[in-house]
Amino acid sequence: MTRTQKITITTTTDFADVVMDALGRAMIAVVVAGFQLVWWALLFPMVSVPAGLSVAVGWFYGWPFGVGVAGVAVAGMVLWRVSSPQTFEHWLTGRIRSRWLTWSRYRRRWATVMAACQLTKTDHNDRVIVPALAGVRIGESLDVVRAKMLPGHSPSDWENRVEHLAHAFGTRHAQAAIIGPSLVEITFRRSDSLAEPIVVDFESMAGFKALPRKAA
């Protein structure tokens, strides 16, 4: 006669392990944020240099001097914006807007959308492989996204998923084209550039000039 015994195993988590895991995650987040801050400082020296100079002056000579340097820097930025709005947009606000929209529209949701649109692959170790996002160019009405195709992908795999990609990324229309070895370019139309009428000065049209009115 045999007797079957049920053995219940209770796993307890040590509080110290939880604390160490939380500290490890926090340290990783701090390091990543530090690298990101350095990267943004290198991308936008017209902002980071005056800010760093203000902090340095305030540290060595006192906060009133630091505030004064910061005020001069802000006044210079305002003068730049007023005197040359085109260059201000090109070098500062336009670049910031482009990077923010690149992250908010595409990078933060890229892996999720690729999986939802069935463009990922699973290797022999059950790891999910996501097509690499090669580049993003933000436009007024069109966004151009480049991605690296995975081994086993064909052009039709991407061309047949353009409607799914358009809806997933919240655009009105999408079109895919192969532009290089294993490189696909997807054009997303976010708005109609011709929806609003464009007013053209009649006199600026080539070959036409308004005739002076005759006095009555």
Side-chain angles (χ1 to χ4, degrees):
M1 182 176 179
T2 61
R3 298 177 61 185
T4 303
Q5 295 180 346
K6 293 183 179 180
I7 301 175
T8 302
I9 301 175
T10 303
T11 303
T12 59
T13 303
D14 192 359
F15 179 74
D17 294 337
V18 175
V19 173
M20 293 301 296
D21 182 68
L23 289 176
R25 292 177 181 273
M27 291 179 63
I28 293 175
V30 170
V31 172
V32 172
F35 277 108
Q36 189 68 30
L37 182 62
V38 172
W39 176 243
W40 276 77
L42 294 175
L43 288 175
F44 302 99
M46 65 287 294
V47 176
S48 61
V49 171
L53 184 61
S54 301
V55 172
V57 171
W59 177 267
F60 289 105
Y61 300 100
W63 66 266
F65 293 95
V67 172
V69 173
V72 172
V74 172
M77 298 288 287
V78 173
L79 180 62
W80 180 19
R81 174 66 177 84
V82 173
S83 60
S84 182
Q86 294 81 6
T87 59
F88 189 86
E89 167 71 17
H90 177 74
W91 289 105
L92 188 59
T93 55
R95 294 174 63 192
I96 295 176
R97 172 182 174 274
S98 178
R99 290 192 170 274
W100 164 253
L101 292 179
T102 296
W103 178 83
S104 62
R105 288 178 179 176
Y106 301 105
R107 291 194 183 277
R108 71 182 179 91
R109 303 175 51 227
W110 182 256
T112 303
V113 171
M114 291 297 102
C117 294
Q118 301 178 359
L119 290 171
T120 58
K121 297 286 185 179
T122 304
D123 63 9
H124 59 280
N125 293 323
D126 293 332
R127 293 180 302 182
V128 178
I129 305 175
V130 181
L133 183 58
V136 178
R137 185 171 70 250
I138 303 294
E140 293 296 330
S141 59
L142 299 176
D143 293 344
V144 179
V145 177
R146 292 185 177 183
K148 295 287 293 184
M149 298 169 59
L150 296 178
H153 276 174
S154 66
S156 61
D157 291 330
W158 290 82
E159 294 169 354
N160 294 336
R161 311 305 292 179
V162 290
E163 292 187 5
H164 302 76
L165 291 170
H167 288 289
F169 285 116
T171 62
R172 306 178 66 177
H173 177 71
Q175 183 177 359
I178 306 301
I179 60 173
S182 301
L183 187 62
V184 59
E185 183 177 87
I186 312 167
T187 303
F188 294 99
R189 180 177 295 278
R190 308 198 70 89
S191 61
D192 189 356
S193 59
L194 300 179
E196 297 181 0
I198 301 175
V199 179
V200 179
D201 186 5
F202 184 78
E203 294 186 10
S204 65
M205 299 176 61
F208 293 91
K209 186 176 181 181
L211 296 177
R213 295 183 179 180
K214 294 182 180 180

